[in-house]
């Protein structure tokens, strides 16, 4: 989605929210004050009291800052580095991190209890370690193990989950939580997958022989290729730490929800702006307003 389209949807949803907004003093209709993006006034002659549409320090009388916040959200969804967003929008890392956490939570809420797979649907499963070599030397990678599964369908729906301990019990628990029972599962021959045939149709490919079982046609090339897309979206500096989960949630959300994901997320974001206040503060830095 282009940035102009994203901003247009945001403004449309904001306008819809304004239509149902009521004066907090008399419950009358309200309208935006002329030349103001965030100030409203009751339309009743006996009231005519003014108020703030979105109540937080950022949006109060600051339409330019509102633009920058929306732009920062858009860039986060593209996978732009947080430091780059700061440099391009003047929105501080503190604010960007708060936005990322909230977006990740929205994504997780929408994904809960939504399993992938189904009758005669093939799901390829694999694990990958998200991290980097210590001092950029040697083969050992320090980081977090992620297990993922992708449908072999046109939608390519996916699940991703971090693994605290990479063992059979945890692997089976995650798979049962995220894949519909009876689905066809393709994996490599790692022994951690050996119990899957109890609840799924399980086929394997031996990667020590080749990337494809030429007798059965089984391979896991789809999920192997998906790892590259995921790591390109998340960037190396987020492979470990508290923000990895939120990036994983966003990647899965946009892959699984398709074209409806942007509008659904913006609606939630608008609701957040109206119902809760961002705990943001403005400071003056070198004569220029900067959101911190």
């Amino acid at each position: 989605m282009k940035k102009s389209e994203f901003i247009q949807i945001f403004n449309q949803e904001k306008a819809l929210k304004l239509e149902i907004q009521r004066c907090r003093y008399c419950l009358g209709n309200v309208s935006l004050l002329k030349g103001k993006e965030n100030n409203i006034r009751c339309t009743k002659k006996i009231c005519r009291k003014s108020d703030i549409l979105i109540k937080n320090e950022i949006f109060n009388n600051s339409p330019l800052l509102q633009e920058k916040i929306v732009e920062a959200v858009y860039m986060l969804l593209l996978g732009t580095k947080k430091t780059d967003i700061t440099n391009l929008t003047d929105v501080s890392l503190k604010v960007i991190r708060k936005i990322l956490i909230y977006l990740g939570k929205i994504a997780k809420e929408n994904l809960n209890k939504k399993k992938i797979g189904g009758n005669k649907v093939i799901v390829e499963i694999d694990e990958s370690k998200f991290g980097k070599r210590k001092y950029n030397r040697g083969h050992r990678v320090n980081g977090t193990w992620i297990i993922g599964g992708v449908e072999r369908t046109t939608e390519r729906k996916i699940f991703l989950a971090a693994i605290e301990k990479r063992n059979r019990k945890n692997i089976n628990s995650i798979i049962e939580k995220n894949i519909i029972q009876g689905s066809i599962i393709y994996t490599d021959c790692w022994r951690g997958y050996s119990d899957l045939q109890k609840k799924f149709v399980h086929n394997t490919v031996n990667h020590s022989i080749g990337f494809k079982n030429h007798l059965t046609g089984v391979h896991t090339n789809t999920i192997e290729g998906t790892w590259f897309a995921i790591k390109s979206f998340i960037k190396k500096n987020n492979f470990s730490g508290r923000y990895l989960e939120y990036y994983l949630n966003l990647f899965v959300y946009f892959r699984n929800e398709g074209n409806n994901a942007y509008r659904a997320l913006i609606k939630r974001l608008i609701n957040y702006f109206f119902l809760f206040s961002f705990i943001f503060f403005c400071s003056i830095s070198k004569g220029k307003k900067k959101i911190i």
Side-chain angles (χ1 to χ4, degrees):
M1 178 179 285
K2 295 179 180 178
K3 184 171 76 173
S4 58
E5 295 173 340
F6 184 84
I7 294 174
Q8 183 181 15
I9 292 174
F10 182 90
N11 290 331
Q12 288 172 352
E13 293 299 328
K14 180 182 173 182
L16 289 173
K17 199 71 178 178
L18 178 62
E19 288 181 6
I20 63 172
Q21 185 75 4
R22 294 292 179 266
C23 174
R24 63 178 173 142
Y25 301 100
C26 68
L27 299 180
N29 294 327
V30 297
S31 61
L32 282 173
L33 287 175
K34 188 176 181 180
K36 301 288 185 178
E37 290 290 328
N38 196 36
N39 292 72
I40 55 177
R41 174 176 287 168
C42 181
T43 57
K44 284 187 176 182
K45 291 183 178 180
I46 59 172
C47 182
R48 300 292 286 171
K49 290 187 177 179
S50 299
D51 206 347
I52 298 169
L53 182 61
I54 300 174
K55 298 179 181 179
N56 58 65
E57 295 294 330
I58 291 179
F59 289 89
N60 190 13
N61 296 319
S62 302
L64 179 61
L65 293 181
Q66 177 175 323
E67 264 184 41
K68 289 186 177 295
I69 288 292
V70 177
E71 186 177 354
V73 171
Y74 177 75
M75 294 174 74
L76 271 173
L77 299 180
L78 290 181
T80 308
K81 288 183 179 179
K82 295 190 290 294
T83 51
D84 289 343
I85 298 174
T86 295
N87 294 332
L88 292 169
T89 64
D90 292 326
V91 180
S92 75
L93 278 173
K94 180 180 179 181
V95 171
I96 292 168
R97 287 168 182 151
K98 287 177 180 291
I99 295 171
L100 172 62
I101 290 171
Y102 183 71
L103 293 177
K105 288 180 178 179
I106 291 176
K108 186 175 181 179
E109 287 175 12
N110 281 273
L111 293 170
N112 277 344
K113 299 180 181 179
K114 291 185 178 180
K115 296 184 178 183
I116 66 172
N119 185 35
K120 297 183 180 180
V121 176
I122 297 171
V123 180
E124 298 180 17
I125 294 177
D126 190 35
E127 327 95 59
S128 181
K129 199 166 192 179
F130 282 55
K132 56 184 179 180
R133 298 189 304 276
K134 193 172 183 179
Y135 308 122
N136 292 318
R137 296 179 180 179
H139 181 67
R140 179 171 177 167
V141 176
N142 296 316
T144 306
W145 277 103
I146 305 295
I147 182 172
V150 59
E151 289 182 355
R152 202 181 284 182
T153 61
T154 54
E155 294 87 0
R156 291 287 193 270
K157 289 186 177 180
I158 190 173
F159 84 84
L160 298 169
I163 315 171
E164 292 185 7
K165 291 185 179 180
R166 187 170 169 257
N167 55 40
R168 184 183 305 176
K169 181 180 178 181
N170 288 339
I171 291 288
N172 287 342
S173 175
I174 291 171
I175 290 174
E176 290 175 15
K177 183 179 178 181
N178 289 280
I179 299 180
I180 298 171
Q181 189 171 334
S183 302
I184 302 170
I185 289 180
Y186 288 179
T187 69
D188 58 25
C189 292
W190 181 53
R191 63 178 180 271
Y193 298 124
S194 59
D195 289 340
L196 292 180
Q197 70 272 10
K198 295 178 181 179
K199 295 186 178 181
F200 304 94
V201 179
H202 183 209
N203 296 308
T204 61
V205 54
N206 191 337
H207 283 161
S208 62
I209 298 176
F211 290 106
K212 183 177 181 179
N213 186 326
H214 292 285
L215 295 176
T216 62
V218 174
H219 66 78
T220 57
N221 295 341
T222 309
I223 183 65
E224 296 282 356
T226 304
W227 290 127
F228 177 79
I230 297 168
K231 291 180 179 180
S232 297
F233 172 72
I234 296 177
K235 307 293 187 299
K236 283 186 179 180
N237 58 325
N238 294 304
F239 281 0
S240 59
R242 61 181 295 198
Y243 301 109
L244 176 60
E245 176 191 358
Y246 303 116
Y247 278 109
L248 293 174
N249 290 341
L250 285 172
F251 186 92
V252 175
Y253 177 65
F254 282 97
R255 168 67 71 87
N256 292 0
E257 298 300 317
N259 294 331
N260 297 324
Y262 280 101
R263 187 172 289 276
L265 187 142
I266 290 172
K267 282 183 179 180
R268 290 293 305 274
L269 201 59
I270 290 286
N271 287 331
Y272 178 69
F273 288 155
F274 273 81
L275 298 177
F276 305 98
S277 295
F278 274 118
I279 308 174
F280 295 153
F281 300 91
C282 292
S283 69
I284 304 300
S285 177
K286 295 181 180 180
K288 180 171 64 173
K289 255 187 180 180
K290 185 172 183 180
I291 306 167
I292 64 172

